[in-house]
Amino acid sequence: MELLAVFLPLFAFLIAGLFGKKIGDRMSQCVTCSALVVAAFASILLFFDVVGGHGYTTVLSPWISSGEFSAFWALRIDQLSVVMICVVNIISACVHIYSIGYMSHDPCKARFMAYLSFFTFVMLMLVTADNLLQLFFGWEGVGLASYLLIGFWNNRDSANSAAIKAFVVNRVGDLGLVLGIMLLFVIFGSIEFDIIFNNAQLHSQTMFTFFGYDLHALTVVCLLLFVGAVGKSAQLGLHTWLPDAMEGPTPVSALIHAATMVTAGVFLVARFSPVFEYAPIALMVVTVFGALTAFMAATIAMTQFDIKRVIAYSTMSQLGYMFFALGVSAYGAAMFHLVTHAFFKSLLFLGAGSVIHAMSDEQDMRKMGGIYKKIPVTYALMLIGSLALAGIFPFAGYFSKDIILEAVWADHTWFGDFAFLIGIIVAFMTAFYSWRLLLMTFHGEPRMSKDVMSRVRESSSVILAPLFILAAGAVFVGFVFYNMFVGHHSIWHETIIVLQENDTITAAHNAPFWIKRLPLLMGGFGIVTAYVFYFWIPSLPAKFSSAFKWIYMLFFNKWFFDEIYNRLIVRGVYCLGNIFWRSGDQNIIDRFGPDGSVKVSRKFAGMLSRFQSGYIYQYAFMMIVAVIGIVSWVIFRVGQGF
Amino acid sequence: MFEFSLLSAMTFLPLAGVVIILFIRGEQEYVARNSRYVALFTSVFTFAFGLFMFLQFDSASAEFQFVEKSNWFKPFGISYHMGVDGISLFFILLSVFLTPICILASWESIKVRVKEYMIAFLVLETFMIGTFCALDTVLFYTFFEGVLIPMFLIIGIWGGQRRVYASYKFFLYTLLGSVLMLLALLTLYAQVGSTDIIVLMDNPVARDLQMWLWLAFFASFAVKMPMWPVHTWLPDAHVEAPTAGSVILAGVLLKMGGYGFLRFSLPMFPEASLFFAPMVYWLSIIAIIYTSLIALVQEDMKKLIAYSSVAHMGFVTLGIFTATTQGVEGGIFQMLSHGLISAALFLCVGVLYDRLHTREILRYGGLVKNMPKYATVFMIFVLGSVGLPGTSGFIGEFLSLLGAFQVDMLIAALASIGVVLGAAYMLILYRRVIFGVQVNKDAAGMPDLNNREYGILLSIIVLVLWLGLFPNVVLDRVSPSVDKLLTEYHSKLEVAAGFGNVIVGVEGEQVK
């Protein structure tokens, strides 16, 4: 079963990728979609198989063995991975089907489907890894898929830059991950999960020396792994690639940059809960980073006008929620939010795709408006997604966001309180920007040209059908799975380990009533505020932005991260490259090395060659001089001898 | 073992081809065609020998296999001694695999003096195989230096516009190193009284002498690798060499340095190796970062790949001198993988050069439209060069970094910066050549890969992915010899330190 769930996407990729031209677009779409649908069903069956019982590992073949270091290709099927497999396969199947409709005018359909299937496969390799190296294989593999799909429309310059940026920024994060893997190997002598997790406690006091400092080994390991997570999950500092990644086709944004790949970081930390539990400082860092990201991304989302970018920043912000949940050891809550978020965020993205389609590829919300009557189904679906995102009862987001906020409250540490405060504020902002998006896109006066408006049509059923599945998820996943994920008898068993004193989820269930209701209240308040700003008094946003110009500019320009990075790092690197090349290689090494010695020897040879002038009298003269010289020297020496 | 002397047969088979080619007379056209075919068949036949050797190779043994030994120059005890162990096995395979590819790659692009060109390549092949088989220093030195001659001619005769400058630079650099190595070999002979590599390995010389000899060997091998700061010949040589010349240069010749470190420096001068290891680390780090940065600003495709080669070879030297299992095996693997990937990258550049006769990146762009097959193939090699898991590039980089990490975390951390930069310059190169708008009409009209080119590149792709997914094919065969090498290395160090009061940089030293 697990082989079916994992390798069907690979099979689909190979068919569509290698033979896409021969079998035609229609056939490639059929093959990939049916493979993914079967894989999705297989993973659901797998879920029910594993969830009650025990996990197991299927070893496929050895990969690397060098000395004591060894890594295997294996599928680790346990509660944690099976949840991820389900999410990945279900969302991916929906996105595959949706793409048939969405990409119907694109000339490279087979290639697109192949990339999507490839992504699904490597993502599954990531989540089913039972050692760090296979995880890293998946980790880089999804990076590659993301690169290929962001740059799918490769004649666009912006898409190409975005693709490279995504890959390179992710590489910076991966660097942390690689170093983390190596450190784990040095500490544990293995990179197998089982060995690491079983021995984590033994090493909870291990120290190592670096530059004369004694460092707590597991804390450093966790921080390094977290660097990887920061890159992949677009957290503060390494987040700049995610908004740019919206250059890719919308199904890609839904699948990779909302539902699955960007949550890999969350998965990684959850998977390493047995290690993170012994690194309280690392957990604190995770919490603080998560909270800051959630806040920053939400502030930016409130000011953007590109519909996809708003959703992208919202994704970042929600990922921040997941991370601060992880930071207070509420791993189950983070995974819960991951699942609900996957459904409602991909719903929102695909819905936005449907809107963009209807608006003849316009993404600027300032040019939309007044279309809710023309595309009522899309509108209703987007509404469901937004309700879930804003955390309104009884939609999925309500349950998961609630438990996260209760858990951080129950943590009772300074960073827990900090995250709680931010979480509450961001809950308000989330609702605000969601409704800002809805109101600007669907309500008000039409701001698009008549020509385009007359062509606004509801999307075809192949686009809408997957949306219904996702919408069902956005409505029901919350209360159906609440007990499984964060209830008293959650499904995680030994896959997520929480120390007794860190058990915030249990504590969260005893939170006071006002804590439990506060997020909902803030959400409602956010919606009302959005109505005030964008529906009842439409002149208010402009007044507001001019009154708080500095803050507005800061938010609107994304806190100037890109500018700072460009100035400092990108330019610096190019500058250094030029200096090294022109001054280092050409002016120093070559000048004093080979070219210099050539010059010297040429000069010397020139001097020598002057002796060979060809005139007999010169030679004769030289001979005489030499003979005189030698004779006098001999006489001199002989004379000395006596 | 069997009677048939496989290694000699394999080594000198190409020379037999040379003899045949020499006898070809007649019309120019006729001569060219026939010498191409003779060269191709000879090299394919040699490759078959190589495969046979691979299959016969006993992967459990750490000893030299297929050994041949006979007196050569008795008064001085110089013998004709050949043998293969896990370390040299794959370099030989790489040589015999790349030669037919080179000949195929020059099938159409070389139009003048075809006969001489093919002869040069076959002679080169003999010398390359000989270098990796030789177990006698005189024999080794003969082959090792012999390589220079055909390579010098290939660059100097069939090269680009500044070919003479480039070939002289190449020759001068490498010759300078070799002269020092020759002196070191003579000194060794004077000290130990033997030219046999195995004897020399078992009889380490005094510590002070080790230092000098190590440096002399280092001069030669560092130039070959090439390491910073003696790398500047490489970009010029690559840029001016014909495609096949670059392929062999990047694919095999650079590996001779790394092989030399493993065959001479580590086993013969263990104390000096330990002493100089930090210097090698830092030179490697500089090479990795410095040349990656330079690669980022190149406008010439071949130069960019040449600089990236220097960076990749930095991982090799880093790995080898960590003297850990992972480091050394990673170094060997990295050399193999780089041999395949950079060879393929040069072939890819050659494909474009054959069509448009320029290596300037700016002249290309948007090739994905008219050359989709090429775009796919090139992408895979770019990813291999970037070190994506699943390609062979990853295994080598990761293992050598892992080796370095066990010795010094800072070194590993710095070296891994190169991985990020590597991704940047390769992807930017790819984007500028393959993606974007088609600015140049000629570039937009270029035909896609023909079957010959496609076949060549496909065979390398298969190897790159195969080694990336199942690297144990190589690692299993390499590890007995590496284990032996390292065990002896560490025990020699212990002996030298008077049994035991030396801290050897092995695994887990950092962790208390």
Side-chain angles (χ1 to χ4, degrees):
Chain A
M1 193 64 78
E2 67 272 12
L3 293 177
L4 214 57
V6 173
F7 286 101
L8 267 178
L10 175 67
F11 168 76
F13 158 65
L14 291 176
I15 296 285
L18 295 177
F19 309 111
K21 286 230 177 70
K22 280 189 196 121
I23 59 176
D25 289 343
R26 180 58 58 185
M27 196 61 198
S28 325
Q29 287 170 342
C30 280
V31 170
T32 49
C33 288
S34 42
L36 258 294
V37 170
V38 174
F41 278 109
S43 41
I44 292 170
L45 290 179
L46 201 62
F47 177 77
F48 287 111
D49 247 21
V50 173
V51 107
H54 283 282
Y56 53 91
T57 303
T58 314
V59 178
L60 300 174
S61 96
W63 183 14
I64 304 181
S65 48
S66 167
E68 301 99 82
F69 181 86
S70 66
F72 286 83
W73 295 109
L75 301 180
R76 183 191 175 97
I77 305 297
D78 59 11
Q79 285 84 354
L80 194 59
S81 62
V82 87
V83 166
M84 290 301 287
I85 294 175
C86 276
V87 171
V88 171
N89 270 336
I90 293 173
I91 307 268
S92 180
C94 290
V95 169
H96 269 77
I97 296 170
Y98 178 92
S99 305
I100 297 179
Y102 192 83
M103 302 298 282
S104 58
H105 301 298
D106 199 274
C108 306
K109 296 188 197 73
R111 185 162 64 97
F112 186 74
M113 300 310 276
Y115 286 171
L116 281 186
S117 302
F118 173 71
F119 166 77
T120 313
F121 168 67
V122 277
M123 187 72 202
L124 291 170
M125 288 307 274
L126 192 166
V127 298
T128 56
D130 94 318
N131 62 63
L132 276 156
L133 212 61
Q134 187 187 331
L135 184 135
F136 189 69
F137 168 79
W139 194 266
E140 290 267 277
V142 291
L144 167 65
S146 155
Y147 163 79
L148 291 171
L149 284 165
I150 294 171
F152 183 76
W153 286 316
N154 53 39
N155 49 353
R156 288 191 197 168
D157 241 11
S158 53
N160 290 328
S161 328
I164 291 179
K165 186 169 171 188
F167 197 89
V168 173
V169 173
N170 263 305
R171 269 266 156 142
V172 177
D174 296 351
L175 204 143
L177 183 55
V178 168
L179 293 175
I181 294 174
M182 293 178 188
L183 187 55
L184 276 169
F185 175 69
V186 170
I187 297 171
F188 292 94
S190 169
I191 54 162
E192 304 273 322
F193 286 166
D194 282 332
I195 296 176
I196 294 173
F197 297 161
N198 292 336
N199 295 320
Q201 200 177 357
L202 289 177
H203 289 280
S204 59
Q205 301 303 326
T206 304
M207 308 291 271
F208 72 94
T209 318
F210 184 71
F211 259 131
Y213 292 99
D214 277 339
L215 299 174
H216 182 234
L218 292 188
T219 303
V220 177
V221 164
C222 290
L223 287 177
L224 287 170
L225 296 182
F226 181 59
V227 172
V230 166
K232 202 52 90 195
S233 296
Q235 295 296 290
L236 192 66
L238 296 177
H239 64 277
T240 52
W241 64 272
L242 184 61
D244 288 18
M246 297 301 128
E247 288 292 339
T250 309
V252 175
S253 315
L255 176 62
I256 301 187
H257 306 120
T260 53
M261 184 186 87
V262 287
T263 58
V266 179
F267 168 77
L268 176 71
V269 178
R271 175 58 96 197
F272 272 80
S273 60
V275 184
F276 270 87
E277 281 299 298
Y278 295 102
I281 297 176
L283 283 175
M284 181 190 82
V285 174
V286 172
T287 316
V288 172
F289 261 80
L292 289 177
T293 311
F295 179 72
M296 191 203 64
T299 58
I300 301 173
M302 292 197 301
T303 58
Q304 298 300 306
F305 290 111
D306 185 315
I307 185 169
K308 282 181 74 182
R309 282 186 189 237
V310 173
I311 308 178
Y313 279 108
S314 149
T315 305
M316 243 175 89
S317 171
Q318 298 301 311
L319 288 166
Y321 269 100
M322 296 176 211
F323 274 102
F324 65 66
L326 294 169
V328 296
S329 301
Y331 306 102
M335 288 303 294
F336 189 31
H337 198 52
L338 187 160
V339 175
T340 58
H341 175 259
F343 281 98
F344 64 71
K345 192 50 68 66
S346 50
L347 173 64
L348 279 174
F349 259 122
L350 295 183
S354 173
V355 172
I356 294 167
H357 232 228
M359 300 299 288
S360 311
D361 293 336
E362 180 55 61
Q363 301 194 4
D364 193 334
M365 295 195 295
R366 282 169 295 192
K367 293 183 183 159
M368 298 176 179
I371 50 170
Y372 71 101
K373 275 186 189 149
K374 292 196 167 178
I375 44 172
V377 183
T378 305
Y379 175 62
L381 292 166
M382 289 284 279
L383 190 63
I384 292 175
S386 302
L387 283 167
L389 173 60
I392 303 300
F393 184 82
F395 295 93
Y398 164 78
F399 294 96
S400 53
K401 200 180 283 183
D402 242 25
I403 187 72
I404 287 181
L405 289 172
E406 289 161 22
V408 285
W409 178 83
D411 193 46
H412 294 304
T413 51
W414 68 265
F415 52 90
D417 292 342
F418 172 67
F420 178 72
L421 188 69
I422 297 247
I424 290 293
I425 298 172
V426 174
F428 165 78
M429 294 200 281
T430 309
F432 177 80
Y433 65 65
S434 307
W435 254 259
R436 173 176 175 267
L437 184 147
L438 277 182
L439 293 171
M440 283 185 86
T441 311
F442 292 101
H443 293 274
E445 290 299 306
R447 291 180 290 268
M448 198 66 171
S449 66
K450 282 233 172 63
D451 183 37
V452 174
M453 284 304 288
S454 65
R455 278 189 277 123
V456 173
R457 293 266 182 291
E458 187 59 85
S459 304
S460 61
S461 54
V462 71
I463 287 191
L464 292 177
L467 291 186
F468 280 104
I469 299 172
L470 296 174
V475 177
F476 297 114
V477 165
F479 62 83
V480 171
F481 291 99
Y482 185 82
N483 275 323
M484 276 192 173
F485 280 65
V486 290
H488 289 291
H489 302 285
S490 60
I491 55 170
W492 306 116
H493 297 301
E494 68 276 19
T495 54
I496 286 178
I497 288 177
V498 180
L499 298 184
Q500 197 67 44
E501 65 268 25
N502 288 354
D503 193 1
T504 47
I505 290 189
T506 312
H509 291 303
N510 306 322
F513 183 74
W514 67 272
I515 295 288
K516 292 197 183 219
R517 288 295 161 265
L518 195 55
L520 183 62
L521 208 67
M522 293 303 270
F525 185 47
I527 295 177
V528 173
T529 318
Y531 265 100
V532 173
F533 269 65
Y534 292 93
F535 199 68
W536 292 320
I537 320 174
S539 58
L540 208 53
K543 276 187 199 154
F544 230 75
S545 58
S546 56
F548 300 99
K549 197 154 191 273
W550 283 109
I551 297 181
Y552 178 76
M553 288 314 281
L554 180 69
F555 293 172
F556 184 71
N557 289 309
K558 303 143 201 162
W559 296 55
F560 297 102
F561 267 98
D562 275 318
E563 285 73 11
I564 295 169
Y565 284 172
N566 268 334
R567 290 268 162 81
L568 289 181
I569 300 176
V570 179
R571 271 196 214 170
V573 161
Y574 272 94
C575 189
L576 268 182
N578 266 316
I579 292 175
F580 283 155
W581 183 37
R582 298 199 194 279
S583 323
D585 262 23
Q586 295 179 346
N587 273 343
I588 298 175
I589 297 178
D590 271 359
R591 192 157 145 216
F592 297 107
D595 293 356
S597 55
V598 165
K599 220 177 258 170
V600 169
S601 56
R602 187 169 289 163
K603 229 182 209 169
F604 189 63
M607 267 159 49
L608 282 184
S609 67
R610 245 174 259 158
F611 286 108
Q612 294 149 34
S613 56
Y615 296 110
I616 304 281
Y617 67 85
Q618 277 189 3
Y619 291 169
F621 177 70
M622 285 307 289
M623 270 181 213
I624 292 168
V625 169
V627 166
I628 293 173
I630 291 167
V631 168
S632 48
W633 183 72
V634 169
I635 292 172
F636 181 67
R637 282 301 295 268
V638 171
Q640 260 190 345
F642 286 102
Chain B
M1 297 308 295
F2 43 93
E3 304 296 312
F4 178 57
S5 43
L6 179 68
L7 293 184
S8 299
M10 186 167 62
T11 307
F12 295 105
L13 188 66
L15 287 187
V18 170
V19 172
I20 298 174
I21 292 179
L22 280 175
F23 279 112
I24 300 175
R25 290 281 148 81
E27 296 273 316
Q28 203 181 358
E29 194 60 21
Y30 171 83
V31 172
R33 203 182 67 224
N34 278 320
S35 37
R36 276 188 199 120
Y37 274 107
V38 171
L40 181 65
F41 283 128
T42 319
S43 58
V44 168
F45 208 48
T46 318
F47 177 57
F49 268 74
L51 278 185
F52 180 69
M53 175 190 72
F54 174 70
L55 294 175
Q56 292 288 322
F57 187 82
D58 176 9
S59 60
S61 161
E63 298 303 316
F64 285 100
Q65 303 181 30
F66 315 108
V67 177
E68 296 163 24
K69 193 168 182 180
S70 54
N71 282 328
W72 185 20
F73 205 59
K74 218 172 178 182
F76 298 101
I78 299 170
S79 59
Y80 177 83
H81 191 176
M82 307 267 269
V84 172
D85 70 348
I87 296 174
S88 52
L89 173 70
F90 287 95
F91 294 111
I92 297 171
L93 284 175
L94 191 65
S95 314
V96 295
F97 173 71
L98 285 180
T99 311
I101 281 185
C102 282
I103 287 166
L104 274 175
S106 336
W107 208 253
E108 280 157 24
S109 54
I110 298 297
K111 296 192 175 69
V112 290
R113 299 174 200 259
V114 179
K115 183 175 161 185
E116 288 79 0
Y117 183 84
M118 293 301 161
I119 291 174
F121 259 93
L122 290 177
V123 171
L124 187 60
E125 186 176 18
T126 291
F127 287 146
M128 290 190 301
I129 302 171
T131 309
F132 295 122
C133 291
L135 287 183
D136 186 279
T137 51
V138 176
L139 196 61
F140 173 82
Y141 189 78
T142 317
F143 285 129
F144 187 81
E145 291 309 302
V147 166
L148 284 184
I149 302 163
M151 199 63 220
F152 174 72
L153 295 175
I154 288 170
I155 299 175
I157 297 174
W158 293 276
Q161 279 155 3
R162 294 172 70 230
R163 55 179 182 261
V164 176
Y165 172 74
S167 56
Y168 272 102
K169 202 167 173 184
F170 163 70
F171 202 80
L172 278 180
Y173 256 119
T174 29
L175 199 68
L176 181 74
S178 327
V179 167
L180 292 173
M181 185 171 82
L182 182 63
L183 288 176
L185 286 175
L186 292 174
T187 319
L188 265 180
Y189 176 68
Q191 285 285 319
V192 184
S194 171
T195 57
D196 196 283
I197 291 181
I198 298 175
V199 177
L200 290 175
M201 280 183 189
D202 294 337
N203 297 295
V205 295
R207 184 185 155 89
D208 291 344
L209 189 61
Q210 275 192 25
M211 299 293 170
W212 291 109
L213 295 179
W214 190 93
L215 281 175
F217 273 99
F218 181 73
S220 176
F221 299 142
V223 168
K224 270 266 157 57
M225 286 297 290
M227 291 176 75
W228 187 87
V230 286
H231 64 279
T232 58
W233 62 271
L234 187 73
D236 283 309
H238 269 312
V239 165
E240 299 308 328
T243 303
S246 296
V247 169
I248 282 292
L249 195 57
V252 184
L253 261 58
L254 301 191
K255 275 73 204 173
M256 291 181 173
Y259 175 74
F261 284 135
L262 289 168
R263 192 57 91 220
F264 293 89
S265 303
L266 279 190
M268 293 183 195
F269 319 118
E271 289 170 77
S273 295
L274 185 68
F275 179 79
F276 286 113
M279 180 187 85
V280 177
Y281 298 155
W282 284 105
L283 287 179
S284 311
I285 298 285
I286 295 174
I288 291 170
I289 295 177
Y290 177 100
T291 49
S292 297
L293 286 171
I294 293 183
L296 209 51
V297 297
Q298 294 305 312
E299 293 297 327
D300 182 312
M301 287 193 267
K302 267 189 158 180
K303 241 183 192 165
L304 193 153
I305 298 170
Y307 274 112
S308 86
S309 290
V310 183
H312 281 127
M313 297 319 271
F315 286 101
V316 176
T317 42
L318 183 62
I320 288 176
F321 280 94
T322 59
T324 57
T325 315
Q326 288 85 22
V328 174
E329 292 188 5
I332 294 173
F333 204 95
Q334 172 78 347
M335 283 195 267
L336 287 178
S337 145
H338 177 263
L340 294 171
I341 291 171
S342 69
L345 284 173
F346 280 118
L347 286 170
C348 285
V349 175
V351 166
L352 294 185
Y353 187 78
D354 285 348
R355 286 165 174 64
L356 208 61
H357 298 287
T358 174
R359 298 174 309 261
E360 220 175 308
I361 299 174
L362 281 176
R363 306 261 291 147
Y364 298 92
L367 294 187
V368 69
K369 282 204 194 72
N370 51 323
M371 304 175 77
K373 264 191 214 166
Y374 177 78
T376 313
V377 168
F378 193 25
M379 179 92 248
I380 292 171
F381 292 123
V382 163
L383 293 175
S385 169
V386 163
L388 200 83
T391 64
S392 59
F394 171 69
I395 314 284
E397 252 171 32
F398 180 79
L399 286 179
S400 39
L401 278 178
L402 186 61
F405 192 86
Q406 292 166 23
V407 176
D408 190 337
M409 297 184 189
L410 179 69
I411 297 284
L414 286 174
S416 54
I417 293 175
V419 179
V420 178
L421 293 171
Y425 62 71
M426 285 315 287
L427 290 181
I428 290 173
L429 166 73
Y430 188 79
R431 170 203 172 168
R432 293 176 69 187
V433 173
I434 303 290
F435 292 152
V437 198
Q438 296 189 316
V439 274
N440 187 345
K441 250 190 233 154
D442 298 332
M446 297 193 302
D448 205 348
L449 296 178
N450 61 31
N451 285 338
R452 177 179 56 87
E453 293 161 336
Y454 198 45
I456 294 173
L457 292 170
L458 214 55
S459 64
I460 306 181
I461 288 182
V462 169
L463 279 179
V464 167
L465 294 181
W466 186 38
L467 292 183
L469 295 174
F470 304 101
N472 280 350
V473 179
V474 173
L475 294 175
D476 284 348
R477 288 174 174 76
V478 167
S479 62
S481 302
V482 171
D483 282 343
K484 179 166 172 260
L485 170 74
L486 291 178
T487 327
E488 285 177 4
Y489 172 79
H490 290 303
S491 66
K492 277 175 207 161
L493 283 179
E494 271 175 36
V495 171
F499 293 103
N501 49 10
V502 68
I503 302 159
V504 183
V506 284
E507 286 97 292
E509 182 223 329
Q510 305 266 337
V511 179
K512 282 171 201 161

